[in-house]
């Protein structure tokens, strides 16, 4: 980015940040994977309640976990660790092989993320989050570590409104706002329409009755000194609002609606959309390639209905890119899913962040969850032929304890691209531990 562009971007960033900061008067930063939903009227998640007789799977006692924390008069430290291990089996027809090549069966350490989080100060407590993910098992990377989160969160007139500065999540799409370890499905499907982390500033607000959340932010990785090697790294603006139509039984029965918007700035005057079909190890099944564009707008809609162990969820994102030639193009993605916790447990809703967290079993044998989803991603429009796929998924999750999960699922993907319709079947097995 040349000096004039950088100066302009910084001025816009500061002006928008100040406008967001002063416009609200009373959000809680998104809590990490290992946190549980805060109780009504609180902002800090409790420790998991012990289960009589313990779990079949070995579990870290709450007392042992508490001993790893530091609590002083002016700062606190809480460690965290997330481990996800996968193995995926594939079966393809000839058309699928012609489209994307042979997809090899393979195992993967999906994530090995370590976190330090806590507070600094007494009356005016600043929250911090530092998280790094080990990537050394991926031979294609130049570095073994990647910092996923490095942020400070400042309260604004109490804990209901916060300002987060640093590398963090953008405020767009339920799938991305929700932590991977909490989602009912093993992988996200709307990846073409969001990024995992960005550097910027984010404002979160929780209404006094805890039925509304609002979040907005400005993001640009070049602000942290990261250069993509092009002249004008794009700046993203995102905003998300959620509303609970009803909230009963401490979050085990609720109706959640939400909407989000994202304005995407191009890098070097170019945009690209690409995605995998609920997998982290396949090749990209849909890919527009780079195309010249001025910007793009994304509009997202989301909804969840839950009645105890049964929940229905859906999300839809429409992307409209302003290309330099021949004009605008439209892409879209969405899904409809269902979850049934056979053992009667449910997903507790986190009012401070606006999403449902992972199942917390109430019995020593854990909780069994059955899930299903139908999804579609369409990156074809006009002269841009990025491909289109439809995906079905059926799976089961055994939440063996408050921290262990074992899951397996089968999915079938129909890919329409290159004048062919290819079919891929995949079985994904996962073991997960969250500390």
């Amino acid at each position: 980015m040349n000096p004039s562009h950088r100066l302009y971007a910084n001025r816009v960033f500061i002006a928008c940040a100040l406008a967001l900061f002063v416009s609200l008067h009373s959000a809680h930063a998104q809590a990490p994977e290992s946190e549980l939903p805060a109780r009504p009227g609180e902002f800090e998640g409790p420790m998991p309640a012990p289960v009589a007789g313990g779990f079949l799977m070995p579990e870290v006692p709450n007392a042992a976990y508490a001993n790893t924390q530091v609590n002083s008069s002016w700062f606190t430290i809480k460690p965290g660790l997330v481990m996800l291990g996968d193995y995926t089996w594939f079966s393809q027809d000839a058309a699928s092989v012609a489209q994307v090549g042979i997809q090899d069966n393979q195992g993967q350490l999906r994530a090995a993320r370590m976190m330090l989080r806590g507070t600094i100060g007494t009356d005016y407590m600043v929250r911090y989050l530092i998280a790094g993910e080990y990537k050394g098992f991926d031979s294609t990377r130049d570095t073994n570590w990647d910092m996923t989160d490095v942020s400070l969160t400042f309260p604004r007139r109490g804990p209901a409104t916060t300002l987060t500065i640093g590398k963090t999540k953008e405020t767009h799409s339920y799938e991305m706002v929700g932590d991977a370890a909490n989602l009912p499905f093993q992988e996200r499907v709307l990846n073409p329409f969001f990024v995992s982390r960005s550097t910027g500033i984010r404002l979160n607000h929780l209404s006094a009755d805890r039925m509304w959340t609002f979040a907005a932010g400005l993001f640009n990785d070049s602000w942290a000194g990261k250069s993509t090697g092009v002249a004008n790294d794009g700046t993203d603006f995102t905003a998300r609002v959620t509303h609970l139509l009803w909230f009963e039984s401490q979050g085990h029965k609720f109706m959640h609606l939400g909407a989000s918007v994202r304005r995407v700035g191009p890098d070097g005057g170019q945009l690209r959309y690409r995605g995998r079909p609920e997998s982290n190890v396949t090749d990209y099944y849909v890919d527009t390639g780079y195309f010249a564009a001025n910007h793009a707008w994304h509009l997202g809609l989301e909804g969840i209905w839950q009645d105890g162990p049964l929940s229905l969820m859906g999300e839809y994102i429409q992307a409209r890119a302003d290309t330099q030639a021949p004009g605008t193009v439209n892409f879209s993605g969405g899904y409809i899913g269902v979850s049934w916790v056979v053992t009667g447990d449910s997903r507790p809703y986190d009012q401070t962040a606006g999403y449902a967290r992972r199942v917390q079993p109430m019995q020593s044998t854990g909780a069994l969850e059955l899930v299903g989803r139908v999804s579609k991603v369409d990156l074809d429009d006009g002269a841009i032929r990025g491909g289109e796929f439809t995906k079905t998924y059926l799976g089961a999750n055994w939440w063996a304890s408050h921290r262990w999960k074992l899951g397996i699922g089968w999915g079938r993907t129909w890919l329409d691209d290159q004048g062919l319709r290819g079919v891929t079947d995949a079985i994904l097995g996962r073991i997960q531990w969250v500390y």
Side-chain angles (χ1 to χ4, degrees), residues 185 312-315 334-338 372-376 391:
F185 314 105
L312 302 175
M313 64 212 70
E315 186 172 3
Y335 63 84
I336 297 176
V338 60
R373 177 159 74 170
V374 177
S375 57
K376 184 175 182 178
K391 173 77 183 288

Side-chain angles (χ1 to χ4, degrees), residues 150-281:
V150 182
S151 64
L152 293 173
T153 298
F154 302 89
R156 167 67 176 165
R157 297 183 183 177
T161 298
T162 57
L163 187 72
T164 298
I165 299 175
K167 188 175 183 181
T168 186
K169 287 187 177 183
E170 295 188 3
T171 61
H172 176 62
S173 176
Y174 181 88
E175 273 198 320
M176 195 66 240
V177 172
D179 295 316
N182 288 300
L183 298 173
F185 314 105
Q186 310 298 1
E187 290 288 344
R188 301 176 173 102
V189 73
L190 299 180
N191 300 76
F193 306 104
F194 51 70
V195 295
S196 177
R197 300 293 196 282
S198 292
T199 299
I201 184 168
R202 186 185 71 206
L203 186 69
N204 287 59
H205 173 70
L206 175 65
S207 66
D209 62 1
R210 293 184 168 236
M211 301 295 278
W212 291 85
T213 71
F214 172 78
L218 282 170
F219 306 90
N220 189 320
D221 285 338
S222 68
W223 295 337
K226 179 180 177 181
S227 174
T228 61
V230 296
N232 53 331
D233 295 341
T235 299
D236 293 352
F237 166 78
T238 65
R240 177 175 179 255
V241 61
T242 71
H243 176 51
L244 285 169
L245 296 183
W246 66 81
F247 182 79
E248 303 172 0
S249 303
Q250 294 185 334
H252 297 287
K253 296 182 179 181
F254 63 87
M255 178 66 181
H256 157 107
L257 295 177
S260 61
V261 64
R262 180 181 183 223
R263 188 189 188 278
V264 187
D267 290 332
Q270 292 186 317
L271 293 175
R272 183 181 190 178
Y273 292 82
R274 60 179 180 173
R276 300 182 173 101
E278 292 185 77
S279 171
N280 194 56
V281 297

Side-chain angles (χ1 to χ4, degrees), residues 381-405:
D381 192 34
I384 299 179
R385 315 308 296 173
E388 172 187 335
F389 71 72
T390 301
K391 173 77 183 288
T392 58
Y393 176 84
L394 295 173
N397 299 316
W398 177 38
W399 300 90
S401 73
H402 293 142
R403 306 188 185 278
W404 284 103
K405 185 193 84 169

Side-chain angles (χ1 to χ4, degrees), residues 285-300:
Y285 271 44
V286 289
D287 189 350
T288 65
Y290 287 102
F291 59 93
N294 299 314
H295 63 268
W297 282 97
H298 298 178
L299 175 63

Side-chain angles (χ1 to χ4, degrees), residues 27-32 35 42-45 76 78 116-121 124-130 150-155 159 162-165:
H28 185 64
Q30 174 178 295
E35 298 283 331
E42 299 179 359
F43 290 87
E44 185 76 13
T76 63
K78 292 183 180 181
L116 290 176
R117 61 198 186 279
T119 60
I120 304 171
Y124 185 88
M125 290 193 300
V126 177
R127 296 182 179 274
Y128 66 88
L129 173 61
I130 303 172
V150 182
S151 64
L152 293 173
T153 298
F154 302 89
T162 57
L163 187 72
T164 298
I165 299 175

